[in-house]
Amino acid sequence: MDKGKVKEKSVWNLLDRFSGDKVILMVTVLLMLISVISVFSSTPLLVDSGKGIDRVAIMVKQLKAVGAGLVVGILFYLLGRSKYYKAFALFGLGISLVSLAILVFNLNLGIVKAGVINGARRVILFHGKQIHVYEFVKVFMVIYIAWALDTFKRDGFGILNRWAARSEKMAWIGRPGWQKIICIYLPMFAVIVMVMMGSNSSALFLAIIMILMILIGGLDARDVVFAVLVLGVAVGGFFLAYKAGILKDSRFGTAISRIMGDDEKLMDQLVNSPQESTAWKSARDKLKQPVGAQIAIKEGGILGKGIGNSTQKYAVPVIFGDYMFSFIIEETGIAGALFIILLYFSLLARGTLVAKDCDDYFDKMLVVGLIMLVTGQAFMHMAVNVHLPFVPQTGQTLPLVSHGTSSFLVFSAVFGMLLSISREVHYKMKQREDNAEPLLEHKLSEGDNSVGDRMDDLEALESLDDYQQ
């Protein structure tokens, strides 16, 4: 047996034989490892004995999520194809609209019904299992917008064009402007409005991602201005409706209080209220997370307290979720925070390179959208944790690090999609290299010494130049 072939198939050369982007792969693996360590370290020894939730139960759940995430990522890498993602775009939009409608209208369809978390309808209960709808909707809408932009570029909205050709009254539907409104903006705004009913931060984040995709996708700048204006009008309408009492059950009031600096009012309430009073307890409970996160960051310093030595994990409820970055700073300091930031910046850089190498417009826009989705949510999570000015304190998990099954599985699928597209790009580039013809082909016949003769002529010319100088 050929030793070279044995070596080539060795397990140790698995990374060399990996066809996807290796940097994205390494970032994925490192984030998953950090997740396992961080969730275990950030979980109090006894979380809630009354509900049977303890450190071991949370850790086992996270390990299952990581294992399932690895399987999902590998399946998407091995089986995922650009054509499959294109075919799924419209189906994903349909799933998004139906699932959001279940939440907005609080529907109970038997095995599927709306669920409530923290006073807001954000999950669908399927056979008693919670499905965090917004995590899936984000990815589905990125896929759909990539497909819609690609289809518009190719003038491929066949159904609309056929309707326009059937009668003069429907001719307007074949115009590019109306096709953009019908196939890009209407679905986008419908989803944003429905998401806003349960999560303002998710709606704002998704709107920014989709508008950036439209801008990067090469549509006219007026389209982006139009989209922003319509969103502004929609937010204004929500504000008026909330003031009129129509949207009193929505999360719009929460957004207003956060933007208007609700934390300062709560702090005054905490300081000025008698201890253990109802007002004092209410303010204390609402300030536990943001204040505890700031304390964790301040106590972390440069190198941190060390793994397992956090104290704020006992004070901040579920710090391993929305405030994971603060916990990481407390235990590993600014050094650990910079390492996390470096990982996401590396992902952003490599994703940009993959998008640049994509020949297909859909692939390019899909990679751009997915990269912005992951890195954007990561940096939003960090901004909330460090309490940046003008950033409302709202919950967004740290992708592939924070505790949460739905979020972890969704982002595992996202990384698998990125790796599958980078693999396709790698294959196409390799095919072009193999099929490329040399720029200059010169064959020497037997006894032909033309190359040597030309080298002698070149040396003679250089000698003449030296002599003249």
Side-chain angles (χ1 to χ4, degrees), residues 37-219:
I37 297 171
S38 298
V39 170
F40 180 74
S41 182
S42 62
T43 309
L45 293 177
L46 191 62
V47 181
D48 193 335
S49 56
K51 295 182 179 180
I53 303 174
D54 57 17
R55 189 178 197 180
V56 175
I58 292 176
M59 191 59 208
V60 169
K61 185 178 180 181
Q62 185 67 10
L63 287 174
K64 290 180 179 178
V66 172
L70 283 172
V71 173
V72 169
I74 292 172
L75 288 176
F76 269 89
Y77 166 70
L78 294 175
L79 305 178
R81 298 289 186 276
S82 174
K83 60 182 180 181
Y84 300 155
Y85 304 141
K86 283 184 182 179
F88 178 79
L90 284 172
F91 185 64
L93 173 64
I95 294 176
S96 299
L97 293 174
V98 170
S99 58
L100 290 173
I102 292 174
L103 295 182
V104 171
F105 298 106
N106 195 22
L107 300 179
N108 186 346
L109 305 178
I111 60 174
V112 178
K113 61 181 180 179
V116 178
I117 291 183
N118 297 328
R121 293 192 293 270
R122 299 178 179 176
V123 298
I124 285 180
L125 300 178
F126 181 73
H127 284 293
K129 300 291 183 180
Q130 291 184 356
I131 300 175
H132 289 257
V133 174
Y134 300 146
E135 300 296 338
F136 292 91
V137 169
K138 292 174 188 176
V139 180
F140 292 167
M141 289 308 297
V142 166
I143 298 174
Y144 175 78
I145 293 297
W147 172 84
L149 290 172
D150 176 61
T151 306
F152 178 78
K153 285 280 186 181
R154 295 184 290 102
D155 191 25
F157 294 118
I159 296 178
L160 298 184
N161 292 331
R162 286 193 293 271
W163 284 357
R166 286 180 180 178
S167 68
E168 293 183 0
K169 293 182 179 180
M170 297 295 294
W172 58 273
I173 208 172
R175 296 170 187 168
W178 280 106
Q179 291 192 350
K180 283 187 289 189
I181 292 174
I182 295 171
C183 297
I184 298 178
Y185 294 122
L186 280 181
M188 184 174 75
F189 293 141
V191 168
I192 291 173
V193 168
M194 286 195 285
V195 171
M196 192 179 294
M197 298 298 291
S199 175
N200 300 288
S201 61
S202 296
L204 176 62
F205 178 62
L206 184 57
I208 292 173
I209 294 296
M210 291 191 289
I211 289 174
L212 286 176
M213 288 182 67
I214 293 172
L215 182 62
I216 296 172
L219 294 191

Side-chain angles (χ1 to χ4, degrees), residues 131-424:
I131 300 175
H132 289 257
V133 174
Y134 300 146
E135 300 296 338
F136 292 91
V137 169
K138 292 174 188 176
V139 180
F140 292 167
M141 289 308 297
V142 166
I143 298 174
Y144 175 78
I145 293 297
W147 172 84
L149 290 172
D150 176 61
T151 306
F152 178 78
K153 285 280 186 181
R154 295 184 290 102
D155 191 25
F157 294 118
I159 296 178
L160 298 184
N161 292 331
R162 286 193 293 271
W163 284 357
R166 286 180 180 178
S167 68
E168 293 183 0
K169 293 182 179 180
M170 297 295 294
W172 58 273
I173 208 172
R175 296 170 187 168
W178 280 106
Q179 291 192 350
K180 283 187 289 189
I181 292 174
I182 295 171
C183 297
I184 298 178
Y185 294 122
L186 280 181
M188 184 174 75
F189 293 141
V191 168
I192 291 173
V193 168
M194 286 195 285
V195 171
M196 192 179 294
M197 298 298 291
S199 175
N200 300 288
S201 61
S202 296
L204 176 62
F205 178 62
L206 184 57
I208 292 173
I209 294 296
M210 291 191 289
I211 289 174
L212 286 176
M213 288 182 67
I214 293 172
L215 182 62
I216 296 172
L219 294 191
D220 197 305
R222 290 176 297 181
D223 296 321
V224 179
V225 174
F226 172 77
V228 173
L229 287 176
V230 173
L231 279 176
V233 171
V235 172
F238 265 82
F239 178 77
L240 294 175
Y242 174 76
K243 286 296 184 181
I246 299 175
L247 298 176
K248 60 182 180 179
D249 294 331
S250 71
R251 300 286 293 178
F252 203 72
T254 305
I256 294 174
S257 63
R258 286 172 174 172
I259 294 173
M260 299 302 291
D262 193 42
D263 287 353
E264 294 181 5
K265 296 179 181 178
L266 288 172
M267 188 63 72
D268 292 337
Q269 179 179 322
L270 182 68
V271 173
N272 298 323
S273 301
Q275 245 184 359
E276 300 301 327
S277 65
T278 303
W280 184 87
K281 290 180 180 179
S282 175
R284 180 201 60 185
D285 293 340
K286 292 179 180 178
L287 287 170
K288 270 185 178 181
Q289 288 187 321
V291 174
Q294 293 179 64
I295 294 173
I297 293 173
K298 184 176 180 180
E299 292 184 350
I302 297 177
L303 298 177
K305 297 178 178 178
I307 303 298
N309 294 325
S310 167
T311 56
Q312 290 306 306
K313 66 184 178 183
Y314 299 104
V316 180
V318 290
I319 195 173
F320 42 79
D322 296 343
Y323 288 89
M324 177 60 88
F325 188 66
S326 299
F327 166 78
I328 291 175
I329 296 178
E330 184 184 10
E331 292 209 337
T332 62
I334 296 176
L338 290 176
F339 180 71
I340 295 291
I341 293 172
L342 178 62
L343 289 180
Y344 287 110
F345 265 118
S346 300
L347 177 65
L348 179 62
R350 294 303 297 185
T352 303
L353 291 177
V354 172
K356 184 179 178 181
D357 291 334
C358 288
D359 291 334
D360 187 81
Y361 181 79
F362 170 81
D363 292 349
K364 188 184 296 290
M365 293 312 304
L366 181 57
V367 171
V368 167
L370 293 177
I371 287 295
M372 288 194 299
L373 179 64
V374 177
T375 56
Q377 180 160 325
F379 295 136
M380 177 180 275
H381 172 95
M382 296 175 192
V384 169
N385 277 234
V386 301
H387 211 286
L388 281 184
F390 308 110
V391 177
Q393 295 299 298
T394 183
Q396 292 291 338
T397 59
L398 190 60
L400 279 193
V401 178
S402 293
H403 175 73
T405 304
S406 295
S407 176
F408 202 95
L409 292 178
V410 167
F411 282 111
S412 297
V414 167
F415 277 87
M417 292 167 66
L418 290 171
L419 290 172
S420 69
I421 295 174
S422 68
R423 182 189 59 180
E424 289 189 54

